[in-house]
């Protein structure tokens, strides 16, 4: 499969372009890349889980209306 070699080539080109130290070994670079991908996937899964849990929750019911509010009407009040 050509995918791993293309990934290695991309990392090499980007690494040299961004000035990554040549003292860093390939296993160290791959370890760091793997850690970053793992953290990204964990964050992505956490967001997905929170959204799914929010969709499963029952909707919050509104409080019943009270009669304490002043009466408002478009009709004129009777004159005394």
């Amino acid at each position: 499969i050509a995918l791993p070699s293309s990934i290695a080539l991309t990392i090499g080109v980007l690494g040299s372009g961004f000035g990554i130290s040549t003292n860093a070994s390939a296993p160290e670079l791959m370890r760091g890349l793997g850690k970053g991908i793992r953290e990204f996937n964990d964050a992505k899964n956490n967001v997905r889980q929170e959204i799914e849990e929010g969709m499963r929750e029952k909707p919050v019911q509104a409080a019943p209306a009270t009669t304490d509010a002043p009466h408002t009407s478009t009709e004129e009040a009777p004159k005394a």
Side-chain angles (χ1 to χ4, degrees), residues 53-63:
E53 287 175 3
M55 293 173 64
R56 277 188 253 131
E57 291 178 0
K58 292 182 180 180
V60 177
Q61 294 187 1

Side-chain angles (χ1 to χ4, degrees), residues 18-37:
F18 288 108
I20 294 177
S21 172
T22 55
N23 293 335
S25 66
E28 290 175 21
L29 291 174
M30 294 299 116
R31 197 173 303 122
L33 180 63
K35 190 180 219 181
I37 291 171

Side-chain angles (χ1 to χ4, degrees), residues 34-48:
K35 190 180 219 181
I37 291 171
R38 192 167 36 255
E39 288 178 9
F40 174 79
N41 285 331
D42 288 345
K44 180 181 67 171
N45 290 335
N46 287 339
V47 169
R48 180 184 299 139

Side-chain angles (χ1 to χ4, degrees), residues 53-78:
E53 287 175 3
M55 293 173 64
R56 277 188 253 131
E57 291 178 0
K58 292 182 180 180
V60 177
Q61 294 187 1
T66 62
T67 57
D68 295 340
H71 178 68
T72 57
S73 175
T74 57
E75 299 176 18
E76 289 185 29

